[in-house]
Amino acid sequence: MDLIPSPDSLGLPAPVWLLLLLHDVTQTIHFLFMNFVLGGSWFLLWLHFGRKVDWKEQLYQRCLSVLPVALSMAITFGIGPLLFVQVLYGQFFYTANIIMGHFWLGLLLILVIAFYLIYVLKAKSGSDDRFSSPILRLTLHLAIALSFTFIALLHTANAVLVLTPEIWEEAYTGSLWGTLLSRSEFLIPRYLHNVVGAIGIGGLWIVWIGNYRGSLNASDQARSGAVMSLVATFIQMILGFWYLAALPTDLVKSLMRFDSTLGWHFASSILVAMPFTVCLFALTVIPCHRLLRWITSGLGALLVFAMVVFSEKLREVLLENYFTLAEWKVDTQWGPILIFLGLFVFGLVVLAWIAWALWKGFGQPGDPSEEISS
Amino acid sequence: MNYPAWDVPHIGSGWVIGSIAIFHVMISHFAVGGGLYLPMAESRALKKGRKDWLEFLPNHAKFFLILTGVYGAVSGVGIWFAIGLASPEGTSTLIHNFVFGWAIEWVFFIIELSTAAVYYYTWNRIPERLHLKVGWLYAGASFFTLFIINGILTFMLTPGAAWLEVAGSGQEASRFFQAFFNPTYWPSLFLRTLVCVSLAGLWALVTASRLDGNKQGALKTEVIRWSFGWLLPAFFLMPICFLWYLYQVPESQSQLLGLGISTIGSGTFTQVTRTALITVMTSATILCIAYFVAYRNPREFGFGYAVCLLVLGLAATGSTEKAREMLRKPYVVGEHMYSNGIRKTPVGEPHISEVEKFNSEGYLTQSLWATEEERVAWAEFDHAWNGGVQLASETLGPQVAPETLRRGELMFQGQCLACHTRDAYRSMKNFLRDRDLTSIRNMLGMLHDYKEDSPYRAFMPPLVGTETEREALALYLNEMAHGGEQAQPAEPVHQVARTNN
């Protein structure tokens, strides 16, 4: 018997394209913040060993200050895709969640612990208030980085379960991780692709932080981020081939022929990835070049968006034997949609105003990093 | 049984949601009330030129940011995760009806979190008026998060006639605003706003308790007395708002509370009444402690006292939320969907409710989570039953086929597990301890027939399924409760009903 629960009888409150667009945009923003959280937590561990060098110490303090804010924004922007995926693929998503059960809920416990551990690190990171035991500090760093890496694994496992209803029964009635790992050819490359990709985008954040005003050896700080990003991007490309090889053969052939929408999405990801990599390479040479930073970051954000869109299209294709989005009955709630879109624009204006207030605030005399970390 | 069951041993899925929600409610309401407290206090301090207040407030803002920005945000997502696991059908209904309501709330939430961070980090770094504006912006955004989520929460209790009229027809989306501004929306909004204001005062007492009474005596006295004032509106206005709220709750729901109150003399409170009484008692205790210990002796008001108040506040908010949840029984969406995800209103074609459909076609024939082997065995059981073969289940006890027990277990998972556990919280083993198989069958029969005068009707959904499915459930429950041993004679049904409600 087909294990797919029937779609909700209420149908969709908006056209599929709009829900998909909202999902993809919010998912991209979520990823941009999340990538710094995951990549940055490992970068901090690396920096921790070099804190006797002044510029590394400064970069360490600044990254540590940005980390909780980025995490907070990653969680907040994660709500958007969480809403829209439930509307579009609720019957798959809820089932995957239930199969993962305690692991799925446990993810949040790990998240909140990691969040507070960051605050512990921050509170103990001042020059006169350090942990007496470097091993304890190292343990905290490892705990934070491993927590985020494990959370990424849980999210990837969930995404894989959503895409593979054929293993639901086995995973539900038997061992979840046994079932997933027995299909590791799909889970592992996808997971590594996500994690290494996060380190790649996380590196761009370091470039910006390194270039922040008042930086000691700004080029060294920024270059460390650019190198991290470039190396990760190269590794991610190799992993991308592995991930591609894990997909069904027909699908891969179709991708290579570019004769389907999915193929075009794939091509557009590659088209964005190429100039992004070139710019990254240039950034390792001239890491303080302002225009180059903007261009590389823009391409990075565009690349994340292209990958999100490709990933969404891939989900549509892999699930088409079970369900297609065209099967949804649509009854559009134009009133609430217009209010939402209006407020969304209003929210952006408010965020811009907040950014202006921040700029004004940190334009005052004094070292902003000290203020933030206080 | 559209979705697989999320089986949480001992505490049940309800308590998983509850244990996240109780803390979340306390902190999220503080986020709204505290958002009002901070700019008001700052504005007051600026007008009076009080530097000592302006030195105290950033500490409160920091505490506020770390508590609401971290735990508040994560626990909010936690509720999402938990309700999706425990009640996917109910969550799906809510999300498909209100996704843009939530999306609007999300916009305000982003503004809320951003302004909270900016408010704290820009203290003494931007012009005072601009800083105050950021604070007021936070206050407005956080209030609107309450304004939105209140519509969805109250919808679950009272979806309103306009939405129920079209429920199941596929036209639900057209009644978004009627469903949102449902009968209990406004009283609930006022109630929750009062709770937010009082929690702002309560949490401010915690920060103020850390001030040194000897060195900062005047400041501590002023802050505590001013914060105490934040508790008062709730104590005077909440009873009125609560009566207004109850007035809007359908009689079928509010009768549980009424029944509990009218039978206080004989000691047979309903659980919802008991829980509501905890709210009243803890709230009154908070007021007394806050007045006699904090207001009258502010310099001696220490952190320990503040934590006690906080714990009482947690008990008050927790019990109120619990009472609200119980008031909704037996529904997850009032008059539309029962707490186990079965829809009462007709959905699709043929135009019959899921109750009728499952009774005629079978509950587990719709289930996706049974194997083909199990289905074959069930068909054999049905054949034997329909063929008139007497299944003397008492003698079958130890030899009940595993497939039959599995069928009973699936019935239990699908229809009982949302509220009961096997052996701890609302333990089935306890409820059935003194019942033999015949008595269990009788009880299930009452739940299935769901007559107007049934004592279970006020708080339990009907039991659905064919005769043989119900028999399988009876055998499974008997096995669970007695493990094949003979039970003591059954207790009277009305006594069990009283224990359950």
Side-chain angles (χ1 to χ4, degrees):
Chain A
M1 178 177 267
D2 193 353
L3 288 177
I4 315 296
S6 48
D8 198 286
S9 59
L10 267 73
L12 296 183
V16 170
W17 65 266
L18 179 62
L19 291 167
L20 273 174
L21 180 69
L22 290 170
H23 172 272
D24 293 352
V25 170
T26 53
Q27 178 96 307
T28 302
I29 302 172
H30 165 66
F31 277 172
L32 291 176
F33 285 107
M34 180 276 288
N35 286 351
F36 175 69
V37 173
L38 180 53
S41 64
W42 285 107
F43 186 72
L44 272 169
L45 182 67
W46 174 76
L47 274 177
H48 170 68
F49 289 109
R51 290 178 67 195
K52 282 179 186 162
V53 180
D54 282 349
W55 71 263
K56 283 191 179 177
E57 169 65 16
Q58 189 188 43
L59 186 58
Y60 175 87
Q61 294 291 351
R62 287 183 169 182
C63 286
L64 194 54
S65 297
V66 176
L67 195 61
V69 179
L71 178 54
S72 190
M73 296 311 272
I75 294 169
T76 310
F77 276 100
I79 295 171
L82 179 68
L83 289 178
F84 299 118
V85 78
Q86 287 181 83
V87 179
L88 289 165
Y89 291 105
Q91 67 273 41
F92 296 89
F93 184 66
Y94 294 131
T95 309
N97 296 353
I98 294 168
I99 290 171
M100 288 186 70
H102 303 331
F103 284 103
W104 185 239
L105 201 60
L107 178 161
L108 292 163
L109 186 65
I110 300 168
L111 182 63
V112 84
I113 291 171
F115 211 151
Y116 279 114
L117 287 183
I118 294 172
Y119 275 109
V120 172
L121 264 183
K122 249 171 72 71
K124 300 285 182 186
S125 65
S127 54
D128 53 349
D129 195 12
R130 287 186 185 169
F131 284 123
S132 52
S133 163
I135 294 178
L136 182 59
R137 194 165 188 90
L138 182 67
T139 310
L140 277 177
H141 270 295
L142 265 176
I144 291 167
L146 286 173
S147 296
F148 292 132
T149 312
F150 187 60
I151 288 170
L153 176 65
L154 293 173
H155 271 291
T156 312
N158 183 272
V160 168
L161 272 175
V162 165
L163 294 177
T164 49
E166 60 275 12
I167 66 169
W168 284 357
E169 191 173 354
E170 188 185 335
Y172 181 60
T173 53
S175 155
L176 167 70
W177 290 103
T179 308
L180 278 169
L181 290 173
S182 68
R183 267 81 165 182
S184 56
E185 72 279 357
F186 192 49
L187 173 71
I188 291 175
R190 186 176 170 129
Y191 172 58
L192 292 177
H193 192 260
N194 290 347
V195 171
V196 176
I199 293 171
I201 297 295
L204 276 181
W205 280 71
I206 314 289
V207 173
W208 281 96
I209 295 169
N211 273 294
Y212 192 70
R213 78 179 85 135
S215 288
L216 307 165
N217 299 51
S219 60
D220 287 336
Q221 292 197 20
R223 186 174 289 113
S224 63
V227 170
M228 172 173 129
S229 187
L230 184 66
V231 172
T233 304
F234 274 121
I235 298 173
Q236 197 193 12
M237 282 177 187
I238 298 163
L239 290 168
F241 285 113
W242 183 12
Y243 181 30
L244 209 59
L247 295 173
T249 317
D250 291 348
L251 194 66
V252 179
K253 282 180 185 167
S254 156
L255 283 179
M256 296 305 160
R257 286 196 302 269
F258 302 114
D259 61 353
S260 61
T261 322
L262 185 64
W264 283 108
H265 284 298
F266 179 62
S268 60
S269 299
I270 293 172
L271 281 176
V272 182
M274 284 191 297
F276 173 68
T277 314
V278 172
C279 287
L280 264 184
F281 183 75
L283 211 51
T284 58
V285 182
I286 39 171
C288 297
H289 194 284
R290 193 180 174 82
L291 181 63
L292 184 61
R293 268 193 340 248
W294 277 106
I295 293 172
T296 316
S297 303
L299 285 170
L302 195 61
L303 180 61
V304 174
F305 181 69
M307 284 185 174
V308 167
V309 174
F310 171 70
S311 198
E312 241 352 270
K313 197 69 201 166
L314 184 67
R315 171 152 56 188
E316 270 185 67
V317 173
L318 288 175
L319 290 180
E320 68 187 1
N321 289 334
Y322 303 100
F323 176 76
T324 62
L325 291 174
E327 290 173 44
W328 278 114
K329 174 184 73 67
V330 178
D331 189 3
T332 307
Q333 292 175 331
W334 284 115
I337 290 173
L338 290 174
I339 293 173
F340 163 67
L341 292 176
L343 282 170
F344 191 70
V345 173
F346 168 74
L348 291 176
V349 171
V350 169
L351 287 182
W353 182 75
I354 288 170
W356 172 77
L358 258 182
W359 183 256
K360 208 168 174 177
F362 292 128
Q364 307 292 317
D367 182 359
S369 67
E370 280 175 19
E371 176 63 27
I372 288 176
S373 58
S374 65
Chain B
M1 197 178 169
N2 219 356
Y3 289 95
W6 186 45
D7 198 340
V8 184
H10 312 307
I11 58 169
S13 56
W15 262 111
V16 174
I17 299 174
S19 55
I20 302 171
I22 287 171
F23 291 100
H24 175 74
V25 166
M26 177 118 179
I27 289 166
S28 59
H29 282 63
F30 168 50
V32 178
L36 200 62
Y37 180 98
L38 280 165
M40 276 187 79
E42 188 187 358
S43 173
R44 183 176 184 270
L46 287 173
K47 271 182 196 159
K48 295 192 171 186
R50 294 294 301 267
K51 278 194 172 178
D52 51 349
W53 273 68
L54 292 172
E55 282 165 12
F56 159 76
L57 286 172
N59 289 333
H60 188 53
K62 183 179 185 179
F63 166 69
F64 178 80
L65 174 68
I66 292 178
L67 191 68
T68 61
V70 179
Y71 188 80
V74 178
S75 60
V77 180
I79 294 180
W80 261 116
F81 276 38
I83 61 171
L85 289 168
S87 181
E89 291 282 5
T91 311
S92 179
T93 298
L94 291 177
I95 193 80
H96 281 89
N97 209 48
F98 287 116
V99 67
F100 286 102
W102 263 303
I104 291 167
E105 190 207 3
W106 172 65
V107 173
F108 285 116
F109 188 53
I110 292 169
I111 298 174
E112 186 188 4
L113 269 186
S114 312
T115 45
V118 172
Y119 185 73
Y120 169 65
Y121 287 129
T122 58
W123 208 293
N124 297 325
R125 298 197 66 95
I126 56 174
E128 287 163 350
R129 286 170 65 89
L130 181 60
H131 187 258
L132 200 54
K133 273 185 192 168
V134 174
W136 284 119
L137 188 60
Y138 174 88
S142 62
F143 177 76
F144 273 102
T145 60
L146 174 69
F147 188 88
I148 302 294
I149 198 64
N150 179 60
I152 300 167
L153 288 174
T154 49
F155 165 82
M156 291 167 75
L157 177 65
T158 51
W163 189 86
L164 286 171
E165 203 175 88
V166 295
S169 68
Q171 304 297 312
E172 295 91 336
S174 63
R175 305 288 166 95
F176 177 92
F177 290 108
Q178 291 94 325
F180 187 85
F181 294 108
N182 60 76
T184 51
Y185 179 85
W186 292 108
S188 170
L189 184 68
F190 277 89
L191 269 174
R192 285 183 183 277
T193 306
L194 288 169
V195 171
C196 293
V197 170
S198 60
L199 282 176
L202 208 57
W203 283 99
L205 287 177
V206 176
T207 320
S209 72
R210 306 277 290 171
L211 291 168
D212 189 329
N214 295 321
K215 291 178 185 166
Q216 298 165 288
L219 173 67
K220 189 169 183 177
T221 302
E222 272 189 56
V223 173
I224 285 181
R225 290 194 170 159
W226 194 70
S227 303
F228 174 79
W230 284 69
L231 300 177
L232 297 178
F235 290 98
F236 292 114
L237 296 175
M238 268 178 91
I240 300 166
C241 289
F242 185 64
L243 288 176
W244 179 19
Y245 180 78
L246 272 188
Y247 177 73
Q248 297 290 347
V249 173
E251 201 184 332
S252 54
Q253 257 74 39
S254 62
Q255 69 176 7
L256 267 180
L257 194 63
L259 178 71
I261 293 168
S262 65
T263 54
I264 281 179
S266 54
T268 52
F269 301 50
T270 51
Q271 270 194 22
V272 64
T273 312
R274 279 181 248 173
T275 316
L277 275 177
I278 294 175
T279 309
V280 175
M281 287 190 292
T282 47
S283 302
T285 314
I286 288 171
L287 190 63
C288 290
I289 295 178
Y291 178 70
F292 288 109
V293 183
Y295 189 84
R296 299 275 297 264
N297 301 292
R299 288 174 189 238
E300 279 78 44
F301 183 71
F303 186 61
Y305 287 122
V307 170
C308 287
L309 282 179
L310 212 55
V311 171
L312 284 168
L314 187 68
T317 42
S319 53
T320 310
E321 287 301 310
K322 178 81 178 157
R324 183 183 63 79
E325 286 287 318
M326 286 195 288
L327 208 55
R328 208 175 59 216
K329 282 187 173 296
Y331 301 105
V332 67
V333 176
E335 298 291 334
H336 170 63
M337 184 185 284
Y338 290 111
S339 45
N340 52 17
I342 294 169
R343 290 171 181 82
K344 180 185 179 184
T345 45
V347 176
E349 292 299 331
H351 203 62
I352 56 168
S353 78
E354 283 187 342
V355 176
E356 294 167 78
K357 184 179 166 187
F358 289 144
N359 283 341
S360 58
E361 295 174 13
Y363 178 68
L364 293 174
T365 47
Q366 309 291 327
S367 170
L368 310 172
W369 300 89
T371 63
E372 274 314 305
E373 295 77 32
E374 286 167 346
R375 289 179 193 285
V376 170
W378 300 347
E380 284 169 10
F381 185 87
D382 290 355
H383 180 72
W385 187 270
N386 291 333
V389 177
Q390 183 60 44
L391 290 172
S393 304
E394 289 86 347
T395 58
L396 279 175
Q399 299 105 37
V400 179
E403 292 84 1
T404 306
L405 288 178
R406 172 71 185 146
R407 190 182 201 183
E409 186 185 16
L410 282 172
M411 289 281 285
F412 174 76
Q413 286 181 337
Q415 296 192 54
C416 318
L417 208 57
C419 303
H420 292 277
T421 67
R422 293 177 181 82
D423 53 8
Y425 179 64
R426 289 189 185 143
S427 159
M428 289 306 292
K429 275 187 180 173
N430 257 353
F431 290 157
L432 303 174
R433 190 180 50 212
D434 300 326
R435 288 181 180 271
D436 59 12
L437 183 58
T438 311
S439 174
I440 291 173
R441 281 196 193 116
N442 289 341
M443 183 192 72
L444 296 184
M446 285 178 77
L447 279 171
H448 175 72
D449 296 343
Y450 215 56
K451 290 179 179 161
E452 288 295 333
D453 58 349
S454 166
Y456 298 111
R457 200 180 165 97
F459 50 90
M460 284 183 72
L463 173 70
V464 300
T466 60
E467 199 177 359
T468 47
E469 284 178 334
R470 298 195 313 267
E471 175 65 9
L473 177 61
L475 291 168
Y476 173 74
L477 292 176
N478 187 52
E479 183 74 17
M480 181 205 294
H482 310 301
E485 290 172 16
Q486 192 59 40
Q488 297 300 310
E491 61 181 287
V493 168
H494 63 87
Q495 197 179 334
V496 175
R498 220 172 50 203
T499 319
N500 287 351
N501 66 13

